[in-house]
Amino acid sequence: MTLIQPPSDQVLDRAAALLADGKLIAIPTETVYGLAANAWDRDAVAKIFAAKQRPANNPLIVHVAAVDRIAEAAMMPLAPELQHQLDCVVDFWPGPLTVVLPRASHISDWVTAGRDTVAVRIPSHPVALRLLERCPFPIAAPSANRSNYVSPTMAQHCDGPMDQPGIHQFIEMVIDGGDCDFGVESTIVALQQGGPRLLRPGGISAEMLADRFGITVEQLTQATNDRPVESETGNEVTSAMLAPGMMKEHYSPSTPLVLYSATQANSSSKRVGRIAFAQLDASDTSRYAVVETLSDSGDLREVAKGLFAALRRMDHAGLDLIVIDTCEPVGIGLAIMDRIHRAAATPLS
């Protein structure tokens, strides 16, 4: 029996009740599908880590329904400098922007990996917002896949054994909100004394944020001086990350992934697939067992939207190797290249 349900009012009412009862469900957002739990319920949040096999030092993003509900997750009022920074970007909400703020006391260490900060956002997906409006609590929702695997961008990715050891056996329901519009996770920026810092590129570009903050992209993206803290939320003490999506290896298919180079040779003894960002000519196409074209014209918005789904299809195509195109790390290209480098476990230069 499928877990996938349409986003009717009746289904959303049931979903809110399941979350209130400490259960896990998969929900659509404009970025990727999330594995959702009541962010105020410590035991429910712990189930997320068990389901995803997620390390306890990797914090979660908390989703709230509106700006006037930020206090459900963050300590309000903010210090004047932090409030000014938030005011600069608040109109990106609802949308694919996450901000790291001082945490509220009722947010558990499981959510924040023991840190005194919390990552918060307001999703723009209408189904996610309708669900959040029904819940008198915020929702913690990392991507609905096992830790380090390719993020899900359609409901079918959350309901089945194809990414075993998957998470479908841990969830009560998948709410089908269609394909995700952005296809890569939200931008994460830390609002802090001394200036904001970009922690993860995403749908809101570094250039857009730097313009709002009145600083350069270089200032926004410079390495943070944040010092790791010790997390004791799991079975062992580890250094807690400041935000999700900061692991060197992440978003990875099981099939080896390499970045395309025009000089590389393809062995005829291997089944090699190619993920292309634009149409290839016939001679290029013939070199590969499978070719996925993400955009006819090379539109990077289309590339971002289709990236994770293509990686999943390639991963189940019986290939020995996946070769993927690259782009300039500018605008949404920075988010695309961040995901590709982490999926291939190569450094982002």
Side-chain angles (χ1 to χ4, degrees):
M1 179 179 178
T2 182
L3 298 172
I4 299 175
Q5 300 293 319
S8 66
D9 287 340
Q10 182 179 11
V11 165
L12 292 177
D13 288 344
R14 179 172 167 241
L18 287 168
L19 291 171
D21 196 35
K23 302 296 194 301
L24 303 185
I25 64 173
I27 66 171
T29 77
E30 74 278 21
T31 57
V32 300
Y33 273 74
L35 181 61
N38 177 354
W40 288 348
D41 185 332
R42 183 185 186 282
D43 292 338
V45 171
K47 292 177 185 176
I48 290 178
F49 286 85
K52 285 177 62 68
Q53 302 179 23
R54 185 182 180 96
N57 67 334
N58 193 1
L60 306 177
I61 292 175
V62 177
H63 299 68
V64 298
V67 173
D68 60 9
R69 291 180 62 177
I70 294 176
E72 294 176 357
M75 184 176 9
M76 304 296 283
L78 297 172
E81 183 174 354
L82 299 190
Q83 185 61 56
H84 172 71
Q85 292 173 28
L86 181 60
D87 290 343
C88 289
V89 296
V90 73
D91 65 324
F92 285 125
W93 280 340
L97 175 67
T98 295
V99 297
V100 177
L101 297 169
R103 68 186 262 194
S105 59
H106 46 271
I107 294 293
S108 82
D109 282 350
W110 273 104
V111 172
T112 68
R115 301 192 67 97
D116 60 3
T117 55
V118 63
V120 185
R121 88 177 186 99
I122 304 170
S124 63
H125 197 292
V127 174
L129 287 173
R130 286 165 60 201
L131 176 61
L132 282 162
E133 289 164 358
R134 286 167 160 78
C135 297
F137 46 79
I139 293 175
S143 57
N145 55 279
R146 75 172 187 265
S147 185
N148 287 351
Y149 192 63
V150 184
S151 300
T153 54
M154 56 183 66
Q156 291 78 7
H157 293 162
C158 307
D159 180 27
M162 292 184 70
D163 60 343
Q164 286 289 359
I167 54 87
H168 67 285
Q169 65 266 37
F170 293 92
I171 59 181
E172 304 291 328
M173 173 192 296
V174 179
I175 303 176
D176 189 353
D179 295 356
C180 299
D181 286 338
F182 281 84
V184 293
E185 294 82 358
S186 62
T187 303
I188 303 179
V189 62
L191 307 186
Q192 53 192 16
Q193 302 293 337
R197 295 291 181 271
L198 182 71
L199 302 180
R200 180 179 73 184
I204 304 297
S205 72
E207 291 83 0
M208 295 166 69
L209 290 172
D211 180 67
R212 293 299 186 87
F213 291 128
I215 60 178
T216 66
V217 171
E218 290 72 24
Q219 288 173 311
L220 181 65
T221 58
Q222 65 183 308
T224 179
N225 292 323
D226 175 77
R227 301 175 65 182
V229 300
E230 296 301 300
S231 169
E232 300 181 13
T233 55
N235 295 325
E236 58 185 19
V237 177
T238 54
S239 294
M241 301 175 197
L242 182 56
M246 301 181 72
M247 293 179 290
K248 178 181 177 181
E249 183 175 356
H250 204 15
Y251 319 110
S252 301
S254 301
T255 308
L257 176 73
V258 298
L259 279 59
Y260 173 77
S261 167
T263 60
Q264 70 191 30
N266 293 319
S267 169
S268 59
S269 64
K270 291 185 176 181
R271 279 179 51 82
V272 179
R274 170 82 175 271
I275 297 179
F277 289 3
Q279 284 286 354
L280 302 179
D281 60 34
S283 62
D284 270 347
T285 300
S286 66
R287 299 168 62 196
Y288 301 96
V290 183
V291 173
E292 288 264 0
T293 303
L294 299 185
S295 171
D296 289 341
S297 62
D299 184 325
L300 292 185
R301 284 285 176 187
E302 294 178 352
V303 170
K305 181 173 182 176
L307 176 63
F308 285 148
L311 279 171
R312 281 175 171 258
R313 287 191 296 270
M314 285 286 192
D315 202 25
H316 301 298
L319 299 170
D320 299 302
L321 184 69
I322 304 169
V323 176
I324 189 166
D325 280 4
T326 62
C327 62
E328 288 295 315
V330 177
I332 192 65
L334 181 62
I336 292 168
M337 290 310 302
D338 172 78
R339 304 312 189 271
I340 290 173
H341 279 287
R342 294 181 194 276
T346 60
L348 178 61
S349 56

